[in-house]
Amino acid sequence: MAYSEKVIDHYQNPKNVGTLDKGAKNVGTGLVGAPGVWRRNAPSN
Amino acid sequence: MLKLPIYLDNNATTPMDPRVLEAMTPYFLQHFGNAASRNHPFGWEAEEAVDYAREQVAKLIGADPKEIIFTSGATEGDNLGIKGVYEMYASKGNHIITATTEHKAVLDTCKHIEKSGGEVTYLQVQPDGLIDLKELEAAIKPTTILIAIMYANNEIGVVMPIKEISAIARKHGVLLFTDGTQAVGKIPVDVNKDGIDLMAFTAHKMYGPKGVGALYVRRKNPRVKVTAQMDGGGHERGMRSGTLNVPGIVGFGKACEICMLDMEEDSKRISKMRDHLQTELLKLEEAYVNGSSEYRLPHVANISFKHVEGEGLLMGFNKNIALSSGSACTSASLEPSYVLKALGLGDDLAHSSLRFGLSRFTTDEEIEYTIKAISETVLKLREMSPLWEMYKEGIDLSTIEWAAH
């Protein structure tokens, strides 16, 4: 079973990946998902 | 010159040796006879070829040619060996002892036997993948007729203490069946020195063709019999009906002969490459070898890279390197390997494992390429892995409770 082009593209060119500064005032931290989406959300406004 | 893709999934199947193909070719077009045709030269030629192959196969495992029953492969051998003994020795008892890390062909056969009224004990393995001999002996009861323990494991390559297991079986008058699929042709296996009563193995794991294998059934001390699982013409001394796969059997014989001659040298060379691969990959942080490194096949290494996921890891290079995460039989599902879980590995390590299976055709260049590609992929994935980040921040991941949502 081969992977679709879309999956391979996301794998090779990861999107929306990175780490926000957890010390910043407008960055919140939470654990989501099973297992392992470690998310820091910064409100856009 | 390095040729891509590289094949390192030799526990799933091996490429055929060209010498094997050469031996088989005449038996497709010129000598196509049925080995059971007794009254013309076509049949005689085929029978002669089968007899010769039977000798080659028997010689590799130190058996008598009459003790070799040709089958379609190891799955059939596992079924015939275990179900055949269960039915044949029903008057003696109905209890079988096996282990949780056996191949599905053994485990599911045992489950089938349980459904039909048999009793099966599944021994747990120790963290190194080996069974505890004391536990084995303690599990034997008056109704025990068979111990079914594999020679070497397909996922982690650990080699069971077959001689010691056999000594226990003999002491209690219990038969010993072993699935020799991964071991035969790779390490010395001798049914008499090892005290094996029945053994299933197959050609395609030792550079032979797919679709042909054998079940060794001891004829002396003790004389073992199995009940046939297929009805028909009574081939193979009544134990396995069905026209013999003559070209396949000829190839199987040739593959055994080559293994017999080359095993020692091959395994020296291959284990050197395997050790190098393992040493280099263990230089990565949080990389672990699964199963015993001491009692292990020379061509296998199963390594976990913590905090990255096996399938994701494979995606990084599976266009160029053929490898398995878990075993080929179970990797279609996202369940972690039951063998790794049986070693006591948590889901995180079980999910992040790769199985390397080298062959006599593996080259140093391929190993160098593999080391580089895997190291790079592990580092790249960890760089964006939230689990890795938490680990680096000193958070103990095992203390986190993951709730379903």
Side-chain angles (χ1 to χ4, degrees):
Chain A
M1 180 182 58
Y3 294 103
S4 72
E5 273 174 38
K6 212 169 178 178
V7 169
I8 292 170
D9 176 51
H10 275 268
Y11 182 87
Q12 286 167 344
N13 309 294
K15 294 154 183 49
N16 310 319
V17 172
T19 304
L20 297 167
D21 176 9
K22 67 176 169 184
K25 259 189 177 169
N26 61 343
V27 173
T29 297
L31 275 172
V32 178
V37 182
W38 177 235
R39 204 183 266 174
R40 284 189 189 132
N41 283 340
S44 49
N45 52 354
Chain B
M1 266 300 288
L2 182 67
K3 232 180 82 197
L4 296 176
I6 294 165
Y7 188 74
L8 289 180
D9 199 12
N10 287 283
N11 289 29
T13 193
T14 51
M16 244 180 37
D17 193 301
R19 292 170 283 182
V20 170
L21 178 62
E22 203 185 323
M24 289 169 71
T25 314
Y27 292 91
F28 286 105
L29 296 174
Q30 290 138 273
H31 313 300
F32 58 84
N34 185 330
S37 297
R38 287 281 154 80
N39 30 21
H40 54 68
F42 294 89
W44 302 334
E45 274 168 3
E47 195 188 12
E48 220 170 90
V50 167
D51 285 345
Y52 186 65
R54 205 185 293 281
E55 273 174 40
Q56 290 170 311
V57 174
K59 209 168 165 193
L60 177 65
I61 59 166
D64 185 282
K66 290 195 192 93
E67 297 175 311
I68 301 296
I69 307 295
F70 285 118
T71 64
S72 63
T75 292
E76 190 192 336
D78 287 337
N79 273 268
L80 177 57
I82 298 171
K83 289 177 186 164
V85 164
Y86 176 72
E87 288 174 21
M88 182 61 73
Y89 294 84
S91 61
K92 275 193 77 185
N94 69 341
H95 180 229
I96 293 171
I97 301 170
T98 185
T100 52
T101 52
E102 290 290 313
H103 191 271
K104 285 284 179 197
V106 169
L107 291 176
D108 285 1
T109 297
C110 287
K111 283 197 190 112
H112 180 97
I113 284 173
E114 279 183 296
K115 271 187 208 153
S116 61
E119 190 192 346
V120 181
T121 300
Y122 300 90
L123 297 175
Q124 299 292 326
V125 296
Q126 304 169 100
D128 62 2
L130 300 173
I131 59 161
D132 182 339
L133 295 171
K134 282 192 201 103
E135 252 176 64
L136 169 70
E137 189 158 19
I140 296 175
K141 11 185 199 187
T143 52
T144 308
I145 48 174
L146 184 71
I147 294 172
I149 299 287
M150 67 202 331
Y151 209 112
N153 186 274
N154 49 309
E155 286 195 38
I156 51 179
V158 302
V159 179
M160 292 287 188
I162 290 294
K163 266 185 209 161
E164 286 79 3
I165 294 170
S166 159
I168 293 171
R170 290 271 153 104
K171 190 172 136 196
H172 293 271
V174 175
L175 294 176
L176 172 63
F177 169 90
T178 190
D179 178 346
T181 307
Q182 299 289 345
V184 174
K186 311 290 173 51
I187 55 173
V189 171
D190 186 303
V191 290
N192 289 315
K193 283 185 200 151
D194 294 335
I196 295 164
D197 296 314
L198 301 112
M199 177 167 71
F201 53 112
T202 188
H204 80 100
K205 309 272 193 199
M206 44 193 272
Y207 315 100
K210 291 168 187 62
V212 58
L215 177 68
Y216 160 80
V217 182
R218 178 171 287 283
R219 263 165 68 91
K220 258 190 231 156
N221 311 314
R223 183 182 176 88
V224 180
K225 284 205 272 187
V226 294
T227 305
Q229 299 297 307
M230 278 199 294
D231 298 315
H235 306 74
E236 300 297 273
R237 294 171 41 232
M239 289 190 243
R240 202 274 189 180
S241 286
T243 296
L244 292 174
N245 168 6
V246 178
I249 288 168
V250 167
F252 188 15
K254 186 68 186 176
C256 287
E257 183 189 288
I258 298 169
C259 282
M260 180 120 186
L261 292 172
D262 294 354
M263 186 192 299
E264 207 183 318
E265 227 163 86
D266 273 351
S267 69
K268 254 189 232 157
R269 195 175 56 83
I270 297 168
S271 69
K272 220 171 132 193
M273 284 192 283
R274 189 272 314 269
D275 292 344
H276 175 59
L277 174 75
Q278 179 174 310
T279 311
E280 289 302 312
L281 291 180
L282 289 186
K283 285 182 183 163
L284 290 163
E285 276 180 87
E286 295 289 299
Y288 303 95
V289 174
N290 296 316
S292 168
S293 296
E294 195 183 348
Y295 303 102
R296 188 168 52 158
L297 292 170
H299 61 289
V300 183
N302 188 311
I303 303 178
S304 284
F305 304 91
K306 219 169 172 181
H307 312 308
V308 291
E309 194 263 333
E311 193 188 357
L313 199 48
L314 286 177
M315 274 186 80
F317 45 75
N318 63 2
K319 257 192 294 180
N320 295 329
I321 309 170
L323 275 177
S324 269
S325 166
S327 84
C329 315
T330 51
S331 60
S333 73
L334 278 173
E335 280 295 299
S337 143
Y338 68 93
V339 172
L340 297 178
K341 292 205 80 174
L343 304 186
L345 263 64
D347 274 0
D348 54 343
L349 275 175
H351 264 307
S352 64
S353 78
L354 294 182
R355 177 183 74 176
F356 301 88
L358 282 62
S359 82
R360 72 162 67 116
F361 302 112
T362 306
T363 65
D364 290 322
E365 271 177 310
E366 291 177 333
I367 293 299
E368 291 307 329
Y369 181 94
T370 304
I371 292 167
K372 193 163 170 276
I374 291 179
S375 305
E376 281 171 8
T377 311
V378 169
L379 293 176
K380 182 184 147 205
L381 289 180
R382 279 181 177 170
E383 210 172 278
M384 59 178 173
S385 158
L387 293 174
W388 182 247
E389 194 181 317
M390 288 164 80
Y391 166 73
K392 281 290 170 186
E393 283 171 4
I395 298 168
D396 183 358
L397 292 166
S398 63
T399 61
I400 294 168
E401 272 185 48
W402 301 101
H405 68 116

